[in-house]
């Protein structure tokens, strides 16, 4: 496989007879299957050979490679004068190539991964059971589970492992003390996690009944602000900023269209699978929060943009996710934050100024546009999958025409 990237017999012989020679061909195969360009693959193969030369005189060889070895190699790069390092710049590409080679060696079983979790304290068994129960019965996402488990661990460390001895005074004091040390958003997340954990303990009979009611509520006025949204002209500018025939632009256009027309969440698109698109019925199956499943109509323009992207979407065998990275390695988006980053870049290209930059901006825009076109609030709530009509009523604040009908004149104006 090296012959695809190198033609000089001297270079091929040096790479295959060097310390990394036993793994260099397999690493080249991995780079090709991941979709890396020829220039990137050549750079990363040279980095692998360089790492081999660096570990040649170190105890343990490749089997002993770990985080400390990689740190020492990065320090070595600043003053590297290795005659057999195969050239190449010592920049961030070098560090990334070495990381790829290290991961390849782990997959081959040559060395072991030394993760941070090996040195951190283990999660208490009670919190592990709470996490598993919450995932099974509530269908919570991994990010939500991490948030709740972090709050549960803090509660256990502050009040002690004997949950039967917990009382309302101690719980309340913990929440108030902890909230005074952090921002409002962090405190609100802690309160939500503490309540969920205490309800779970109460269900098991491991703490006094209704102890979750001892958790105080912070002053926070829900739905007190106006929804941040864009005008129809600004949405058209963002969509136009995604014009082009490249894979990245076709993918971005499909994402923007689905967010702006259907009001989807970023996590909905990140988790969307090929089987969720019902082409014959013109519908889209969406599984959102709490594993709540709905079918939404697929408009013609949204379907066309999605089809154009799928026609040139990278062929990846190990996943059926719709949206992938457009650069190697081709793999699905990890979280909804990746979708929000697509929106941020599109806003920047279109020159649209907005106080909000993420994918939720387009969800707000879709809701307000439906309201302005006369769609009832209950139907908007069905599209947005709100559990309460009160949440959907938030968007009534931007219906200026309706507000004019119910607004009462000030006495000073009539006098």
């Amino acid at each position: 496989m090296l012959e695809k990237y190198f033609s000089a017999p001297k270079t091929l012989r040096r790479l295959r007879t060097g310390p990394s020679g036993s793994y260099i061909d397999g690493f080249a195969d991995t780079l090709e299957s991941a979709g890396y360009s020829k220039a990137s693959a050549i750079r990363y193969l040279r980095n692998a050979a360089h790492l081999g030369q660096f570990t040649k005189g170190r105890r343990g060889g490749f089997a002993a490679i770990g985080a400390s070895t990689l740190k020492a190699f990065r320090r070595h790069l600043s003053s590297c004068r290795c005659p057999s390092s195969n050239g190449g710049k010592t920049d961030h590409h070098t560090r990334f190539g070495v990381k790829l080679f290290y991961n390849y060696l782990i997959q081959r079983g040559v060395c072991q991964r030394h993760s941070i979790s090996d040195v951190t304290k283990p999660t208490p068994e009670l919190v592990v059971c709470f996490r598993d129960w919450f995932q099974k019965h509530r269908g919570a996402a991994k990010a939500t589970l991490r948030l709740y488990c972090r709050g549960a661990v803090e509660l256990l460390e502050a009040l002690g492992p004997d949950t039967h001895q917990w009382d309302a005074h101690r719980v309340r004091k913990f929440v108030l003390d902890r909230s005074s040390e952090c921002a409002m958003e962090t405190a609100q997340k802690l309160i939500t996690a503490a309540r969920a954990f205490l309800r779970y303990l109460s269900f098991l009979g491991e703490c006094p009944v209704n102890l979750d009611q001892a958790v105080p509520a912070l002053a926070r006025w829900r739905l007190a602000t106006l929804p941040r949204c864009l005008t129809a002209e600004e949405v058209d500018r963002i969509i136009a900023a995604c014009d082009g025939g490249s894979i990245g632009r076709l993918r971005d256009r499909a994402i923007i269209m689905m967010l702006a027309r259907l009001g989807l969440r970023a996590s909905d698109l990140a988790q969307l699978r090929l089987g969720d698109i019902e082409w014959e019925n013109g519908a889209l199956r969406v599984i959102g929060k709490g594993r709540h499943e709905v079918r939404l109509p697929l408009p013609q323009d949204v379907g066309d943009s999605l089809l154009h992207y799928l026609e040139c979407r990278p062929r990846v065998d190990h996943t059926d996710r719709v949206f992938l990275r457009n650069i190697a390695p081709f793999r699905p988006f990890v979280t909804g934050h990746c979708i929000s980053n697509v929106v941020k870049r599109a806003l920047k290209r279109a020159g649209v100024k907005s106080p909000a930059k993420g994918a939720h901006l387009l969800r707000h825009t879709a809701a307000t546009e439906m309201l302005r076109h006369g769609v009832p609030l209950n139907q908007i709530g069905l599209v947005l999958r709100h559990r309460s009509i009160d949440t959907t009523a938030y968007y009534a604040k931007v219906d200026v025409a309706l507000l004019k009908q119910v607004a009462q004149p000030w006495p000073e104006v009539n006098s």
Side-chain angles (χ1 to χ4, degrees):
M1 179 53 66
L2 280 180
E3 283 77 8
K4 181 176 181 179
Y5 303 109
F6 301 97
S7 58
K10 181 179 179 180
T11 302
L12 292 171
R13 183 169 58 254
R14 183 173 68 248
L15 291 174
R16 284 178 170 144
T17 58
S20 305
S22 302
Y23 315 105
I24 202 73
D25 280 283
F27 184 47
D29 292 337
T30 301
L31 294 175
E32 183 189 26
S33 62
Y36 286 98
S37 65
K38 182 176 180 180
S40 297
I42 291 175
R43 184 186 295 118
Y44 298 153
L45 289 169
R46 286 172 171 167
N47 300 151
H50 192 176
L51 180 64
Q53 294 292 337
F54 176 75
T55 59
K56 185 176 180 180
R58 299 176 68 91
R59 182 181 302 177
F62 282 108
I65 291 180
S68 59
T69 307
L70 299 183
K71 288 181 180 179
F73 180 73
R74 286 195 291 269
R75 292 193 300 268
H76 161 78
L77 291 176
S78 61
S79 59
C80 174
R81 296 296 184 270
C82 298
S84 302
S85 62
N86 295 290
K89 298 180 180 179
T90 56
D91 52 13
H92 68 279
H93 292 293
T94 304
R95 296 187 289 272
F96 184 69
V98 169
K99 182 180 178 181
L100 286 178
F101 187 53
Y102 172 57
N103 291 332
Y104 170 74
L105 294 176
I106 293 174
Q107 294 175 358
R108 287 283 304 270
V110 178
C111 57
Q112 297 181 352
R113 183 183 301 275
H114 301 278
S115 61
I116 299 177
S117 59
D118 295 338
V119 297
T120 56
K121 294 185 297 184
T123 305
E125 183 178 356
L126 188 60
V127 177
V128 173
C129 295
F130 165 64
R131 179 192 62 198
D132 296 341
W133 181 90
F134 212 82
Q135 183 179 28
K136 178 180 179 181
H137 295 279
R138 298 294 297 275
K142 291 183 178 180
T144 303
L145 293 175
R146 286 195 298 268
L147 172 68
Y148 282 17
C149 290
R150 185 164 62 242
V153 170
E154 287 189 37
L155 199 58
L156 278 173
E157 291 178 348
L159 304 186
D162 189 359
T163 57
H164 293 281
Q165 301 299 320
W166 293 3
D167 55 36
H169 174 72
R170 296 176 64 191
V171 170
R172 183 179 180 84
K173 184 178 184 302
F174 161 75
V175 174
L176 292 176
D177 291 346
R178 185 68 179 84
S179 299
S180 64
E181 302 172 352
C182 57
M184 175 68 74
E185 293 78 8
T186 305
Q188 190 62 48
K189 293 176 181 178
L190 175 64
I191 287 174
T192 304
R195 285 176 178 162
F197 186 52
L198 290 172
R199 287 168 187 158
Y200 170 74
L201 294 178
S202 179
F203 170 76
L204 296 180
E206 296 291 335
C207 76
V209 180
N210 296 328
L211 188 58
D212 61 287
Q213 297 181 11
V215 179
L218 297 181
R220 181 170 177 260
W221 289 267
R222 295 182 69 248
L223 312 179
T225 59
L226 289 174
R228 298 174 177 177
C229 58
L230 303 173
T231 64
E233 187 270 336
E234 288 174 330
V235 173
D236 292 339
R237 285 168 55 190
I238 297 174
I239 295 175
C242 299
D243 289 343
S246 65
I247 297 177
R249 290 300 175 88
L250 291 174
R251 181 203 63 189
D252 293 356
R253 183 182 180 87
I255 288 175
I256 298 297
M257 293 284 288
M258 297 183 77
L259 292 172
R261 298 287 190 263
L262 301 178
L264 298 178
R265 297 184 177 95
S267 58
D268 297 335
L269 289 185
Q271 301 297 324
L272 189 66
R273 300 182 181 276
L274 296 173
D276 295 331
I277 308 172
E278 301 178 358
W279 295 106
E280 295 181 357
N281 301 326
L284 189 72
R285 184 166 59 113
V286 180
I287 303 176
K289 290 183 178 180
R291 294 183 292 206
H292 181 60
E293 179 179 326
V294 297
R295 279 177 171 78
L296 299 176
L298 189 63
Q300 184 67 42
D301 55 349
V302 177
D304 290 341
S305 63
L306 186 57
L307 182 61
H308 291 157
Y309 165 65
L310 292 177
E311 288 176 346
C312 63
R313 171 183 174 273
R315 298 291 182 263
V316 181
D317 297 331
H318 62 273
T319 182
D320 62 345
R321 298 278 181 85
V322 174
F323 295 108
L324 309 175
R325 288 161 43 99
N326 63 329
I327 58 174
F330 300 120
R331 57 192 179 198
F333 288 141
V334 180
T335 64
H337 294 295
C338 303
I339 300 293
S340 290
N341 288 334
V342 170
V343 177
K344 291 178 183 178
R345 291 193 294 268
L347 286 168
K348 185 176 181 180
R349 289 198 302 267
V352 174
K353 304 295 184 180
S354 173
K357 303 295 184 183
H360 225 67
L361 172 66
L362 296 179
R363 178 175 170 86
H364 289 324
T365 302
T368 54
E369 282 299 311
M370 284 187 282
L371 188 64
R372 287 167 180 164
H373 284 80
V375 181
L377 282 176
N378 60 337
Q379 295 185 19
I380 296 176
L382 291 176
V383 175
L384 299 182
R385 290 158 290 142
H386 287 158
R387 295 183 179 180
S388 172
I389 191 64
D390 294 335
T391 305
T392 313
Y394 173 52
Y395 298 101
K397 298 179 181 181
V398 297
D399 192 349
V400 179
L402 180 61
L403 291 175
K404 285 181 178 180
Q405 299 177 17
V406 300
Q408 298 294 321
W410 288 96
E412 294 82 358
V413 177
N414 295 331
S415 59

